[in-house]
């Protein structure tokens, strides 16, 4: 079927059920960011392949609500689909709810698949549309029309050792149970795949880029059950889990188990990380404590094994990046290099490491004007050659058995304009200001976000994405609960957290610039004013200095950059051959 035919079939079902509007979010029952193909409903229905967006269908309108990162991509991919782009003003905000309230007549029904709505979103939609005398209903209009729908993934899962994880499953469950006891709860439902992976030291290949496995867990004070496809784990792995007090049941058994939680029990349930449908399966007498998964907070604070192994992942990744930069410099203008072939070359350098598992996200390989799209993904249609002029942005990362990386470098390929040089310098200033910051305990991400933006604000420049996100340990490259962005997220930055710092400048039709390092929060000093924290920079790769406008840099920023480059050379040069080390020596020389 064409996209317009699919739209027509959905509308037929809506008409038969007297539904006024149908919502299709980008989600699965685990409320994941990256989805298994079975749940890629938005690409199937509309052709849009961005990782953030919501479709809303009425009898006479079909729209995709998404943010500025995807405006150009959505315009191109929605062409001829019957869907229109609706430009969100605020990233991740469900602005379509207000549109529904203003558009639909009183008494109309709004429907969605409750398995694809988080508890938070499901309750918000229900409450908000109720104010306009609209009603909510659970409907799945995708399954009846999706012929040859991809099955759920069948690749095997595996356990990682306690030595590699730094903690046993039993120790992690004990920590979760302490939090459950403090919350006064008897049970805890875990649906989010990265929490599952961390808590049970389990990894797999069910989702692109994130080494997670489709699974749920129900935890009580004396028992834990994992719900997973039975053939995913070996008998040996099941025995190992059993030793930690964890039983393994079939993936589909989760719904029966939720509905049979004993009457009068209290359950800890994360409203952001569990689906609305499963909330409704709970017996009416079960009391619900809505709170962030304890494991979400616990896994954000890396243990010493995780930190040390991540340092090694950064060193190996830095060697791959360095070799890529050398290759690019030696070949640009001499042979044909495209956005896609450059990304593939970088991937090949990473893949040379025996511990490499795969990319941690789809590489953003963006030349010139394409780099002005923060989440640009090169396709066969958009792929362009890199020329020996202008700027090339590459945002990439690797999954290694001992850590996850995420790095952005913007590389001048030849002649650059005064505007490009100024913007590049200001972005670097913002990144350095974030990395070199010392701050009191209790500081939240929005405060650090403002510090990194200040050098750009002073020149009347801003960027529409956050400054940083948490990063997992051989897990999701986007990890909470901490985040560096303008929203008033109350999560304080703690020692052990690993977070990105990645300011940018984007000038549509001209260029985009972003420079990103990952940092590890450490304790620095304690005095009569407070406990103070700072950042250890983990990412190890040269930052191009040839186009810097030195008059814009402050002395402390120059000192930080020179010290950083000294560290890069010290850590990476032993893993390079003499010619490569000589190149790196020149690339990291003091300015």
């Amino acid at each position: 079927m064409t996209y317009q035919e699919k739209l027509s079939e959905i509308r037929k079902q809506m008409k038969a059920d007297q539904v006024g509007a149908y919502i299709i979010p980008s989600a699965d029952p685990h409320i994941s960011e990256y989805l298994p193909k079975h749940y890629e409903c938005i690409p199937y229905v509309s052709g849009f392949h961005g990782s953030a967006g919501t479709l809303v269908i009425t009898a006479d309108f079909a729209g995709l609500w998404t943010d500025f990162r995807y405006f150009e991509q959505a315009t191109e991919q929605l062409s001829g689909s019957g869907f229109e782009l609706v430009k969100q003003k605020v990233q991740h905000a469900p602005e379509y709810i207000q549109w529904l309230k203003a558009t639909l007549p009183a008494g109309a029904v709004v429907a969605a698949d409750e398995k694809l709505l988080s508890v938070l979103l499901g309750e918000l939609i229900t409450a908000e549309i109720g104010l306009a005398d609209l009603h909510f209903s659970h409907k799945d209009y995708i399954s009846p029309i999706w012929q040859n729908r991809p099955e759920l993934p069948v690749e095997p899962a595996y356990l990682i050792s306690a030595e590699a994880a730094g903690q046993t499953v039993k120790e992690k469950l004990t920590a979760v149970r302490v939090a459950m006891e403090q919350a006064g709860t008897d049970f805890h439902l875990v649906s989010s795949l990265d929490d599952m992976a961390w808590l049970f030291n389990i990894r797999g290949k069910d989702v692109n880029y994130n080494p997670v496995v489709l699974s749920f867990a129900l935890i009580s004070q004396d028992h834990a059950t994992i719900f997973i496809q039975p053939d995913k784990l070996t008998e040996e792995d099941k025995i190992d889990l059993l030793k930690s007090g964890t039983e393994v049941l079939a993936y589909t058994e989760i719904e029966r188990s939720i509905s049979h939680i004993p009457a009068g029990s209290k359950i800890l349930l994360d409203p952001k990380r569990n689906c609305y449908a499963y909330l409704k399966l709970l017996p009416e007498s079960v009391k619900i404590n809505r709170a962030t998964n304890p494991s979400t907070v616990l896994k954000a604070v890396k243990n010493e094994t995780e930190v040390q192994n991540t340092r090694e992942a950064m060193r190996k990744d830095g060697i791959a990046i360095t070799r890529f930069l050398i290759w690019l410099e030696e070949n640009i203008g001499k042979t044909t290099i495209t956005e896609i072939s450059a990304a593939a070359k970088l991937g090949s350098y990473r893949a040379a490491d025996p511990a490499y598992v795969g990319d941690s996200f789809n590489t953003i390989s963006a030349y010139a004007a394409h780099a002005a799209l923060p989440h640009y993904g090169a396709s066969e249609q958009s792929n362009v050659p890199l020329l020996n002029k202008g700027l090339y942005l590459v945002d990439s990362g690797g999954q290694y058995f001992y850590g996850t990386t995420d790095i952005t470098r913007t590389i001048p390929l030849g002649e650059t304009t005064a505007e490009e040089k100024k913007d590049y310098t200001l972005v670097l200033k913002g990144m350095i200001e974030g990395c070199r910051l010392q701050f009191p305990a209790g500081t939240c991400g929005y405060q650090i976000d403002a510090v990194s933006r200040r050098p750009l604000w002073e020149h009347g420049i801003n960027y529409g994405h956050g400054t940083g996100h948490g990063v997992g340990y051989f897990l999701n490259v986007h990890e909470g609960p901490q985040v560096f962005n303008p929203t008033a997220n109350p999560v304080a930055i703690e020692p052990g957290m690993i977070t990105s710092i990645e300011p940018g400048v984007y000038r549509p039709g001209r260029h985009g610039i972003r420079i990103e390092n990952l940092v590890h929060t450490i304790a620095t000093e304690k005095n009569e004013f407070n406990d103070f924290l700072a950042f250890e920079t983990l990412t190890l790769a040269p930052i191009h200095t040839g186009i810097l406008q030195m008059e814009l840099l402050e002395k402390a920023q120059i000192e930080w950059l020179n010290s950083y480059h000294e560290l890069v050379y010290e850590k990476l040069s032993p893993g390079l051959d003499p010619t490569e080390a000589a190149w790196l020596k020149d690339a990291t020389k003091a300015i």
Side-chain angles (χ1 to χ4, degrees), residues 206-223:
D206 286 0
V207 179
N208 286 341
Y209 309 117
N210 297 336
V212 295
V213 187
L214 296 184
S215 54
F216 300 94
L218 192 58
I219 303 168
S220 68
Q221 284 295 342
D222 58 7
H223 189 73

Side-chain angles (χ1 to χ4, degrees), residues 47-107:
F48 174 68
H49 286 265
S51 63
T54 302
L55 299 179
V56 178
I57 301 169
T58 66
D60 54 12
F61 179 79
L64 168 76
W65 271 254
T66 192
D67 62 67
F68 87 105
R69 297 171 296 168
Y70 301 102
F71 288 168
E72 188 168 322
Q73 177 182 346
T75 299
E76 176 186 330
Q77 292 179 344
L78 294 178
S79 178
S81 68
F83 288 86
E84 298 180 23
L85 168 64
V86 182
K87 296 181 178 180
Q88 284 183 202
K89 297 180 177 63
V90 180
Q91 191 174 349
H92 302 305
E95 296 171 0
Y96 54 87
I97 297 177
Q98 299 305 316
W99 182 86
L100 288 169
K101 290 167 65 176
T103 302
L104 297 179

Side-chain angles (χ1 to χ4, degrees), residues 164-431:
Q167 284 179 286
T168 65
V169 174
K170 191 171 184 178
E171 288 170 335
K172 292 179 178 181
L173 284 171
T174 298
V176 167
R177 286 176 173 134
V178 168
M180 289 170 58
E181 186 174 4
Q182 291 172 345
T185 53
D186 308 300
F187 292 90
H188 174 39
L189 174 63
V190 184
S191 299
S192 43
L193 301 183
D194 56 332
D195 286 293
M196 287 294 304
W198 179 84
L199 186 52
F200 296 99
N201 288 345
I202 187 171
R203 299 295 190 271
K205 300 179 180 179
D206 286 0
V207 179
N208 286 341
Y209 309 117
N210 297 336
V212 295
V213 187
L214 296 184
S215 54
F216 300 94
L218 192 58
I219 303 168
S220 68
Q221 284 295 342
D222 58 7
H223 189 73
T225 304
I226 290 179
F227 301 87
I228 188 172
Q229 290 171 272
D231 54 353
K232 285 276 190 180
L233 293 169
T234 65
E235 291 303 315
E236 183 180 356
D237 285 341
K238 292 176 186 177
I239 291 171
D240 283 346
L241 286 169
L242 197 59
K243 291 176 182 177
S244 71
T246 302
E247 180 185 14
V248 177
L249 293 182
Y251 183 71
T252 53
E253 284 292 301
I254 181 61
E255 296 184 9
R256 186 192 63 81
S257 294
I258 292 172
S259 62
H260 284 78
I261 288 177
S265 299
K266 297 179 182 178
I267 188 168
L268 193 160
L269 188 144
D270 190 329
K272 292 183 179 179
R273 298 172 177 86
N274 284 283
C275 71
Y276 195 34
Y278 287 178
L279 172 77
K280 292 189 169 184
L281 286 177
L282 290 168
E284 287 187 11
S285 64
V286 172
K287 297 180 180 179
I288 302 166
N289 184 331
R290 290 168 170 79
T292 300
N293 287 338
S295 52
T296 298
V297 178
L298 291 167
K299 70 178 167 56
V301 178
K302 307 298 186 282
N303 60 52
E304 186 51 44
T305 297
E306 292 172 321
V307 172
Q308 189 57 41
N309 287 352
T310 298
R311 291 189 184 108
E312 177 63 10
M314 296 296 174
R315 187 183 72 83
K316 292 294 187 69
D317 206 63
I319 290 172
I321 292 288
T322 299
R323 287 175 172 152
F324 171 73
L325 294 175
I326 294 171
W327 170 84
L328 186 62
E329 181 180 292
E330 291 177 346
N331 290 278
I332 192 71
K334 299 176 183 176
T335 186
T336 300
I337 301 174
T338 69
E339 293 170 326
I340 290 177
S341 68
K345 189 68 175 181
L346 175 53
S348 72
Y349 284 119
R350 283 196 170 103
D353 188 283
Y356 172 78
V357 177
D359 290 347
S360 57
F361 57 96
N362 185 36
T363 297
I364 299 171
S365 177
Y367 176 60
H370 283 165
L373 307 171
H375 275 220
Y376 171 76
S379 65
E380 292 298 336
Q381 293 73 34
S382 68
N383 190 29
V384 296
L386 310 188
L387 307 178
N388 55 349
K389 63 177 182 179
L391 299 175
Y392 168 59
L393 183 154
V394 58
D395 185 347
S396 66
Q399 293 285 10
Y400 299 85
F401 284 122
Y402 42 72
T404 301
T405 69
D406 182 2
I407 175 175
T408 308
R409 291 293 184 262
T410 302
I411 307 153
L413 299 182
E415 181 182 352
T416 51
T417 67
E419 181 182 61
E420 289 170 334
K421 292 174 181 176
K422 179 180 178 181
D423 286 350
Y424 181 90
T425 306
L426 294 178
V427 169
L428 181 57
K429 280 170 64 77
M431 198 274 289

